[in-house]
Amino acid sequence: TGPAGTGKTLLACHSAAAALVNRRVERLVLTRPAVSVDEQHGYLPGSITKKMEPWTRPMFDALYRYFSPKTVNDMLYDHIIEICPLAYMRGRTFDRAWIIGDEMQNSTPSQMKMFLTRFGFSSKMVVTGDITQIDLPNHQESGLSIVRDILEGIDDISFMDLTSEDVVRHRLVSEIVDAYGRFDLSQGNRASRRVNKPRSLRSDR
């Protein structure tokens, strides 16, 4: 987990690519919640891969730093790389696979549980997300925001927290992340003061 620009997707995809090249896994499985950021784009034509393209684009951008676009397209054609929407994962098991769930702050708790129970033998699963940028509608609870409370302490499951100091984009991104953090903290303090402000007593006649 960590703020924007800390290389979460890049690290996950480069580790996956290295595992594939070194034959520690046989395929890559990529997924991401299909949740827009305050925008509705309507019906998207084409195959499942085409429909998921707007959401999986950041993962492909990361893979293109490791493989050529032609190599990635060939692996898609040969099913060495699979794009699998969360909605189609139920009931599946992925053996000898590197499975990436990107932007999983936009998964619900039930989606997160379903996703985490998909991997099989000789597989690795990486979950990335930023709990400060949840885009779920109707203020739904994020599966990523509670998963640590549920799973921390289990062998072979680990958590890595990145901060603004780990930002690998432009210097301003780190400063923007910190500025929003200070603003959110000040808003929280104001709300707390409003809630705890003593009310004056008055007698109703």
Side-chain angles (χ1 to χ4, degrees), residues 67-120:
F67 300 116
S68 71
K70 182 181 184 306
T71 299
V72 171
N73 286 333
D74 288 345
M75 288 192 287
L76 276 168
Y77 181 81
D78 293 332
H79 304 291
I80 296 171
I81 297 176
E82 178 183 354
I83 298 172
C84 186
L86 279 174
Y88 291 83
M89 277 195 164
R90 191 175 297 280
R92 297 192 63 185
T93 302
F94 301 105
D95 292 320
R96 293 193 57 79
W98 191 288
I99 309 145
I100 300 175
D102 196 39
E103 298 287 351
M104 290 295 280
Q105 76 274 9
N106 288 327
S107 67
T108 64
S110 61
Q111 286 175 326
M112 179 66 81
K113 178 184 176 183
M114 183 273 295
F115 172 72
L116 292 174
T117 54
R118 295 308 93 204
F119 75 97

Side-chain angles (χ1 to χ4, degrees), residues 1-8 103 129-130 132-133 162-164 166-170 173-174 176-177:
T1 63
T6 50
K8 300 182 297 296
E103 298 287 351
D130 176 3
T132 70
Q133 297 196 65
L162 303 174
T163 70
S164 60
D166 300 302
V167 169
V168 291
R169 292 181 189 160
H170 192 282
V173 175
S174 179
I176 289 168
V177 168

Side-chain angles (χ1 to χ4, degrees), residues 37-205:
V37 184
D38 299 328
E39 295 182 16
Q40 297 299 322
H41 298 286
Y43 173 77
L44 295 174
S47 64
I48 288 295
T49 300
K50 281 293 182 184
K51 292 177 191 292
M52 286 295 295
E53 189 171 324
W55 287 278
T56 55
R57 188 84 248 168
M59 287 187 278
F60 280 95
D61 287 343
L63 288 173
Y64 290 155
R65 294 191 179 193
Y66 204 101
F67 300 116
S68 71
K70 182 181 184 306
T71 299
V72 171
N73 286 333
D74 288 345
M75 288 192 287
L76 276 168
Y77 181 81
D78 293 332
H79 304 291
I80 296 171
I81 297 176
E82 178 183 354
I83 298 172
C84 186
L86 279 174
Y88 291 83
M89 277 195 164
R90 191 175 297 280
R92 297 192 63 185
T93 302
F94 301 105
D95 292 320
R96 293 193 57 79
W98 191 288
I99 309 145
I100 300 175
D102 196 39
E103 298 287 351
M104 290 295 280
Q105 76 274 9
N106 288 327
S107 67
T108 64
S110 61
Q111 286 175 326
M112 179 66 81
K113 178 184 176 183
M114 183 273 295
F115 172 72
L116 292 174
T117 54
R118 295 308 93 204
F119 75 97
F121 295 103
S122 302
S123 291
K124 177 85 72 174
M125 180 173 281
V126 180
V127 176
T128 74
D130 176 3
I131 58 173
T132 70
Q133 297 196 65
I134 298 171
D135 306 307
L136 287 167
N138 304 319
H139 304 289
Q140 293 181 74
E141 187 173 33
S142 166
L144 186 63
S145 67
I146 64 171
V147 72
R148 183 177 227 140
D149 295 334
I150 298 170
L151 300 181
E152 194 161 43
I154 296 178
D155 290 343
D156 298 323
I157 295 178
S158 60
F159 295 86
M160 180 182 295
D161 298 305
L162 303 174
T163 70
S164 60
E165 295 180 359
D166 300 302
V167 169
V168 291
R169 292 181 189 160
H170 192 282
R171 169 189 57 81
L172 280 175
V173 175
S174 179
E175 295 188 24
I176 289 168
V177 168
D178 284 340
Y180 269 91
R182 290 191 297 271
F183 176 78
D184 291 341
L185 184 61
S186 69
Q187 293 297 102
N189 289 339
R190 288 177 191 170
S192 178
R193 286 197 296 270
R194 284 197 298 269
V195 169
N196 297 323
K197 184 178 180 181
R199 298 180 180 178
S200 60
L201 298 176
R202 66 182 180 88
S203 59
D204 292 324
R205 295 181 181 178

